[in-house]
Amino acid sequence: MAYYDVGDDYFSLNQLGRASQYYTKAFELRQHANDRSKLMITGNYYSTVTGEHDKAARTFHEMIETYPRSATAYFSLGEEYAALGQYETAAEMTAKAQELGPVEVPAYSNLTGYQLALQRFGQAAQRLTAPRRTTWMATCFAFRFMRWHFLAAIPQVWRDSSMAHLSPDSKHYALSLASDTEAYEAN
């Protein structure tokens, strides 16, 4: 699983070649991982390294059958359906991931993106008024980054205490969105 985690780190840094190397090594050594990790490594390998989104989707379906309370499995399956252009199903899977793991920022951001792809602008905009702060932050940055002019401004929410309830991955993702937004608006 260590190779997989390093691959994720490189993927987050947009170093896809290096990420691919580590994902491949993790895939080659997956027989040494536990069953849940094997499925995650396999699905991610098919998705990220080989681009076989149909195989990745089948793997994540298997993960859901085995681990029906896994938000990660639903989230990953949603990403695969989106890669296959099936945004309706992607939105359903991602909404289920939100139910199971409500503080993960990428799930909120992805769901907003899928709603936009389905031209459900009202539903996407509702994310701005959702009671969960993570929903609000993710969609605000996503909308601002996509130059939606109906957003006035984002208040200062980036104090350590405002993100205390987020997982480390969610904090990283939220800060990345904030950075992208600031860089985009500066140009």
Side-chain angles (χ1 to χ4, degrees):
M1 198 64 188
Y3 284 105
Y4 175 85
D5 290 338
V6 173
D8 266 357
D9 290 340
Y10 278 118
F11 188 83
S12 295
L13 295 170
N14 205 26
Q15 294 187 21
L16 305 182
R18 293 192 95 179
S20 212
Q21 292 172 348
Y22 282 95
Y23 287 146
T24 299
K25 187 69 171 176
F27 183 76
E28 292 168 354
L29 297 173
R30 72 189 181 282
Q31 72 274 9
H32 301 291
N34 63 40
D35 290 340
R36 185 181 184 131
S37 295
K38 282 180 196 173
L39 290 167
M40 198 68 212
I41 289 167
T42 301
N44 192 281
Y45 173 80
Y46 287 134
S47 176
T48 308
V49 178
T50 68
E52 297 172 276
H53 298 288
D54 54 333
K55 285 185 178 180
R58 282 195 298 272
T59 302
F60 292 125
H61 269 291
E62 182 181 342
M63 191 172 178
I64 289 169
E65 289 173 11
T66 309
Y67 305 99
R69 303 278 312 147
S70 171
T72 301
Y74 283 97
F75 174 78
S76 298
L77 183 57
E79 287 187 318
E80 295 313 314
Y81 278 120
L84 294 167
Q86 298 176 26
Y87 296 107
E88 185 69 45
T89 308
E92 291 171 14
M93 295 298 108
T94 305
K96 181 66 175 176
Q98 283 182 310
E99 290 174 25
L100 296 172
V103 297
E104 296 301 319
V105 172
Y108 292 107
S109 180
N110 282 10
L111 183 55
T112 301
Y114 305 152
Q115 290 169 336
L116 290 171
L118 293 165
Q119 297 185 10
R120 295 179 183 158
F121 303 113
Q123 288 179 4
Q126 282 178 344
R127 294 259 164 253
L128 295 172
T129 58
R132 302 263 336 156
R133 174 175 251 156
T134 53
T135 304
W136 184 84
M137 290 187 307
T139 53
C140 280
F141 286 119
F143 275 128
R144 281 189 71 187
F145 190 75
M146 291 183 285
R147 301 189 75 175
W148 281 75
H149 299 290
F150 63 86
L151 290 178
I154 296 178
Q156 292 295 320
V157 296
W158 293 109
R159 296 184 182 97
D160 289 343
S161 62
S162 70
M163 293 197 300
H165 65 286
L166 297 177
S167 71
D169 285 344
S170 293
K171 287 179 186 177
H172 178 267
Y173 185 75
L175 290 170
S176 175
L177 283 172
S179 174
D180 290 346
T181 302
E182 288 177 24
Y184 181 78
E185 289 180 344
N187 290 327

